[in-house]
Amino acid sequence: MDPLGTLSAAGVLPAPLDRLYDELADLAAYNAQHLPLFTAAGPSGLPAHSAGASAVQELGILLATGLAYLRALAARGLTVADAARQIRFTFALGPDFFMELAKLRAARPLWARIVRELGGDEDAQRLRLHARTGLYNKTRHDPYVNLLRTTTEALSGVLGGVDSLCVGTFDECLRLPDDFARRIARHTQIILQAECEMTS
């Protein structure tokens, strides 16, 4: 769940924020007890990134969102450690290779400091990080250029130390992706992992 991300992207929520926080807390408490590897809260930088936020702005928005979720979950009975383990961040990857890499590298110690200041243990301070190639810089006029863009964005994510990665298809701004586009997006990750030996 990412109610604040939904609010920023759509301008409206399907229910009052407090009720969504209650549902998030229920899901997080269940996961903490029964599904510890499954996260309930998923702050996403995609709305900010797609609206033109810089890497620094996206990072600030995501950390503030994560802190808001930590406080909301703690106010509903979860420990800071359990709440932090239930948060998985999604960062957007843009075209500025080194800035995107630096954004991901900076996120880990900043999040660790936030959780530490709130009393979370060392394991809870670990940032759970997913990334997705961006959307705003993809062209409809020459979509094959998007192959290069998604590849460099994926590389910055891998070098930035993401736990998981979604590579968008080169034609996603035109239509529903076909088999070829999906295969190329999947192979981009396989080449980085297997042929370039970029494994964690």
Side-chain angles (χ1 to χ4, degrees):
M1 293 179 66
D2 184 18
L4 295 179
T6 300
L7 181 60
S8 68
V12 66
L13 287 171
L17 185 58
D18 281 340
R19 194 169 101 204
L20 294 174
Y21 278 160
D22 291 341
E23 292 177 10
L24 179 59
D26 289 343
L27 182 59
Y30 180 86
N31 289 351
Q33 186 174 1
H34 302 288
L35 301 167
L37 299 180
F38 187 80
T39 54
S44 175
L46 289 169
H49 180 80
S50 296
S54 69
V56 174
Q57 291 168 331
E58 181 191 355
L59 177 58
I61 289 167
L62 277 175
L63 292 174
T65 303
L67 177 57
Y69 292 164
L70 274 180
R71 288 178 172 160
L73 293 173
R76 286 160 176 80
L78 273 78
T79 66
V80 170
D82 282 343
R85 289 185 189 97
Q86 285 299 311
I87 299 175
R88 182 179 188 86
F89 292 87
T90 296
F91 282 83
L93 298 170
D96 192 341
F97 180 81
F98 291 107
M99 184 58 79
E100 296 300 319
L101 198 158
K103 173 181 72 178
L104 299 175
R105 294 289 177 119
R108 291 185 188 279
L110 291 172
W111 180 246
R113 182 172 179 180
I114 289 171
V115 176
R116 184 173 60 246
E117 292 296 325
L118 293 175
D121 59 31
E122 189 171 336
D123 180 63
Q125 294 171 23
R126 187 178 80 79
L127 179 77
R128 286 135 184 94
L129 199 160
H130 174 70
R132 194 227 191 271
T133 54
L135 293 168
Y136 82 89
N137 65 330
K138 302 308 181 285
T139 178
R140 297 170 59 95
H141 301 291
D142 188 3
Y144 292 101
V145 171
N146 297 334
L147 289 168
L148 302 173
R149 292 176 177 161
T150 56
T151 301
T152 59
E153 290 166 3
L155 180 59
S156 66
V158 171
L159 295 177
V162 299
D163 298 315
S164 57
L165 175 67
C166 173
V167 177
T169 60
F170 70 89
D171 61 349
E172 66 184 336
C173 60
L174 291 172
R175 58 182 178 247
L176 286 175
D178 59 18
D179 289 341
F180 173 73
R182 288 193 299 271
R183 191 168 69 248
I184 292 294
R186 184 183 70 240
H187 286 180
T188 299
Q189 298 183 53
I190 292 171
I191 288 170
L192 290 173
Q193 182 182 34
E195 295 188 19
C196 299
E197 298 182 7
M198 293 184 181
T199 57
S200 56

